[in-house]
Amino acid sequence: MTGFDFPTEVTPYNPPPSTANLADILERILDKGIVIAGDIKIELLDIELLTIRLRLFISSVETAKKAGIDWWETDPALSSRAAENALSRENQELRDRLAQLESQPALAPKRRRPKENA
């Protein structure tokens, strides 16, 4: 006789019936987000022909922003505000570079004095 008692009958796990419908599931996915990741590799005789890496994040906009994903706000092709910001940023970078170049005396253009006898 051992000190361990094992149950003689195994009862199957029966989860309670789920009452969630499709709308509840969709709301939960958009609220929490879901990540789907996968890689597809096609090789022929140990030579890699094609690799496809798939990363998919499905969520609502608010959930994506909480996760730090906001590429649609900074892509000029998708947002007119991003295009305006990109143009003003480029103008500011050009102004800063011009000011830096003009502050260097060796590179500043030399101005000619007009000849008095001419």
Side-chain angles (χ1 to χ4, degrees), residues 12 22 24 46 63 80:
L22 184 60
D24 293 338
D46 292 334
T63 304
S80 61

Side-chain angles (χ1 to χ4, degrees), residues 7-53:
T8 57
E9 290 184 24
V10 178
T11 57
Y13 175 70
N14 290 328
S18 176
T19 58
N21 58 18
L22 184 60
D24 293 338
I25 293 171
L26 182 61
E27 182 180 341
R28 189 176 304 161
I29 287 173
L30 292 177
D31 185 45
K32 302 290 183 184
I34 186 171
V35 175
I36 300 171
D39 296 334
I40 299 172
K41 277 189 179 181
I42 298 175
E43 293 181 355
L44 180 66
L45 301 175
D46 292 334
I47 299 171
E48 186 174 324
L49 298 177
L50 178 67
T51 299
I52 299 173
R53 303 186 78 198

Side-chain angles (χ1 to χ4, degrees), residues 32-98:
K32 302 290 183 184
I34 186 171
V35 175
I36 300 171
D39 296 334
I40 299 172
K41 277 189 179 181
I42 298 175
E43 293 181 355
L44 180 66
L45 301 175
D46 292 334
I47 299 171
E48 186 174 324
L49 298 177
L50 178 67
T51 299
I52 299 173
R53 303 186 78 198
L54 176 66
R55 306 292 181 259
L56 183 63
F57 180 64
I58 301 172
S59 72
S60 66
V61 171
E62 291 85 18
T63 304
K65 284 183 177 180
K66 288 178 188 174
I69 301 170
D70 60 351
W71 53 266
W72 60 87
E73 292 181 349
T74 57
D75 189 350
L78 298 174
S79 171
S80 61
R81 191 177 333 143
E84 292 172 5
N85 291 341
L87 182 61
S88 65
R89 188 176 339 117
E90 183 180 355
N91 282 340
Q92 185 60 41
E93 288 174 1
L94 289 173
R95 285 186 189 119
D96 293 343
R97 186 168 178 185
L98 181 62

